[in-house]
Amino acid sequence: MMGRMAREETRTTTSPHIRSSAPSEPPGATPRAWPTRLLVLGIVLAAVNLRPAITSLGALLEEVRDGLGMSGSMAGLLTSVPPLCFAFFGVMAPRLARRFGPGAVVCAGMVAITAGLLIRPYTGSTVGFLAASALALMGIAVSNVLMPVIVKRWFPDRVGTMTGLYSMALALGTATAAAVTVPVTDRLGGSWQTGLAVWSGLAAAAVLPWIPSIRQRGTASAAEAPAREEQPALRITRSRTAWALAVFFGLQATAAYITMGWMAQIFRDAGVPASTAGLLLAVTMVMGVPLAFVIPRVATRLPHQGPIVLVLGVCGLAGYAGLYFAPASGAWAWALLLGVSNCAFPLALTMVGMRARTGAGVAQLSAFAQSTGYLISIPGPLLVGVLYQHSGGWGLPIALMAALMVPQMAVGVLAGRDRTVEAEAAR
């Protein structure tokens, strides 16, 4: 499959200005045969490791709380750590990439994930557990930001295909960790420490394909220095498209975190058995695997991604309406519709690669959109919990979810327009 991916040329229908300004590939990194396959393998393995640190913990959160004597408020803080780390550490990624090269930074990110996942179950304290989790999340944050940069830099004519590939791998890693962590823990003797630490092995495997990028750093940096000097600093906050994309990213992340955190409970409160509710959540998450590959490829063939934004938004509104009026009787349909709606994430990643002309522009846009977006997403799941507790039901929380879908569609249409942040920031 990877060989076929390396040969495939995906036609992107962005403006001619965007196509002609795609960054040239650095010396020694031109995709050819096995180096391309190694790079694709590295992208896939890195993407697979961008969520198991979170979803594996969610599967064993009760055991972790009991084992560490963690309070309920501290457990709530723990669930808020990922978006905080993504926002804080993601800002650092462009500067690190300029200094060391994006491939080397992703390699270091995989090392950080490996170390964090291996250390955190055995720290013996809540503070140590949080610190080790933050180490792993730091690696995830910089890799989150740099994946679109690497795709734009080495596969400028296959942005949709490669974004779809790593989005699919990310969704697969997310669903797999959620589904198999508990069974694997049981097979390994029932220790939650072992059940969490085992994911460090997968992260360690993701380090290997990126090691050659460290050796190439010196050559690439020297070759790219003149190009960097010619490019003025991009005032990303002057771009309306950048702001629209950041808000779109934040609102889709809000919907995703609410879905992952609360959808199973909504079904259970409606009378759906706990095992079935868990399966429904898994179905919602698994929907992202095939669609995450298809949607980016379709998006790059359109001059305006607004129609895709609207289709995904309508699916979300229909799913929330179903949860409100008939949560149990139509549970499978609502799970499928919300699974489709949650595929706004790979669409947002694709638009990051399409809304900037240069690799430097993609790096800045990716960092800005993701960091700002994850900050926006933090209050959503907490607010849903507060509304549920004070109203005694799911009517108000579901109404909030549906209401947030409307501005998500609006800013998504704005972000999908055929323009670049470089052109807007220069005005």
Side-chain angles (χ1 to χ4, degrees):
M1 176 181 178
M2 287 186 290
R4 186 168 65 253
M5 291 281 299
R7 293 189 298 270
E8 179 185 355
E9 293 295 327
T10 300
R11 180 176 62 88
T12 59
T13 55
T14 53
S15 68
H17 188 41
I18 298 175
R19 288 198 301 269
S20 63
S21 302
S24 60
E25 296 157 0
T30 303
R32 292 288 187 274
W34 75 263
T36 302
R37 294 181 183 132
L38 185 64
L39 180 58
V40 173
L41 177 63
I43 290 171
V44 170
L45 286 177
V48 168
N49 281 281
L50 294 182
R51 292 299 180 269
I54 303 168
T55 52
S56 62
L57 175 60
L60 295 173
L61 184 58
E62 184 175 347
E63 289 79 3
V64 173
R65 287 182 58 187
D66 293 340
L68 296 177
M70 191 181 296
S71 66
S73 59
M74 186 60 69
L77 173 62
L78 186 60
T79 60
S80 300
V81 167
L84 282 171
C85 287
F86 292 166
F88 180 76
F89 293 117
V91 176
M92 302 164 51
R95 181 175 299 178
L96 292 171
R98 288 194 297 270
R99 174 67 179 85
F100 301 103
V105 176
V106 171
C107 184
M110 294 300 110
V111 172
I113 295 170
T114 302
L117 293 184
L118 184 60
I119 293 169
R120 74 175 180 177
Y122 304 107
T123 57
S125 69
T126 298
V127 173
F129 191 93
L130 282 170
S133 295
L135 176 62
L137 292 167
M138 177 178 66
I140 294 172
V142 295
S143 301
N144 272 339
V145 171
L146 293 180
M147 282 290 112
V149 178
I150 289 169
V151 167
K152 181 78 170 183
R153 181 178 177 185
W154 274 280
F155 302 93
D157 297 324
R158 298 191 291 279
V159 170
T161 298
M162 294 305 301
T163 302
L165 183 64
Y166 81 73
S167 298
M168 182 174 66
L170 190 152
L172 183 62
T174 303
T176 300
V180 309
T181 294
V182 172
V184 167
T185 301
D186 293 339
R187 286 284 187 93
L188 295 177
S191 168
W192 64 265
Q193 288 97 336
T194 306
L196 291 181
V198 71
W199 293 102
S200 65
L202 182 62
V207 174
L208 301 178
W210 294 101
I211 292 176
S213 65
I214 299 176
R215 297 201 305 267
Q216 295 170 359
R217 178 178 65 84
T219 302
S221 297
E224 292 167 4
R228 286 199 300 266
E229 291 173 1
E230 293 173 4
Q231 294 175 359
L234 180 63
R235 298 185 213 174
I236 196 73
T237 55
R238 297 181 62 177
S239 168
R240 293 182 180 179
T241 297
W243 279 107
L245 191 51
V247 176
F248 178 69
F249 195 98
L251 291 175
Q252 66 80 28
T254 299
Y257 280 117
I258 290 174
T259 298
M260 287 189 287
W262 294 108
M263 194 179 80
Q265 191 63 49
I266 294 174
F267 285 130
R268 291 182 67 174
D269 288 351
V272 176
S275 58
T276 304
L279 185 57
L280 287 164
L281 178 58
V283 167
T284 299
M285 297 168 66
V286 168
M287 285 294 294
V289 177
L291 290 179
F293 186 68
V294 173
I295 289 175
R297 300 187 71 184
V298 174
T300 55
R301 287 169 166 79
L302 298 176
H304 193 311
Q305 289 72 50
I308 303 178
V309 171
L310 295 177
V311 170
L312 298 180
V314 168
C315 287
L317 289 173
Y320 291 137
L323 287 180
Y324 187 92
F325 292 108
S329 59
W332 291 101
W334 318 142
L336 289 171
L337 285 168
L338 291 174
V340 174
S341 179
N342 280 348
C343 288
F345 175 69
L347 177 61
L349 293 179
T350 306
M351 288 196 289
V352 167
M354 298 179 69
R355 297 286 87 88
R357 291 196 304 266
T358 65
V362 172
Q364 285 189 256
L365 178 58
S366 182
F368 176 74
Q370 294 199 44
S371 297
T372 305
Y374 281 122
L375 282 175
I376 292 172
S377 73
I378 292 172
L382 300 176
L383 184 56
V384 165
V386 170
L387 289 176
Y388 173 62
Q389 182 176 348
H390 287 278
S391 67
W394 286 106
L396 282 178
I398 292 173
L400 172 66
M401 300 177 210
L404 290 177
M405 189 59 66
V406 177
Q408 177 180 321
M409 294 165 69
V411 294
V413 170
L414 292 176
R417 295 175 298 174
D418 187 11
R419 55 196 64 195
T420 66
V421 294
E422 289 92 346
E424 291 183 339
R427 293 173 186 168

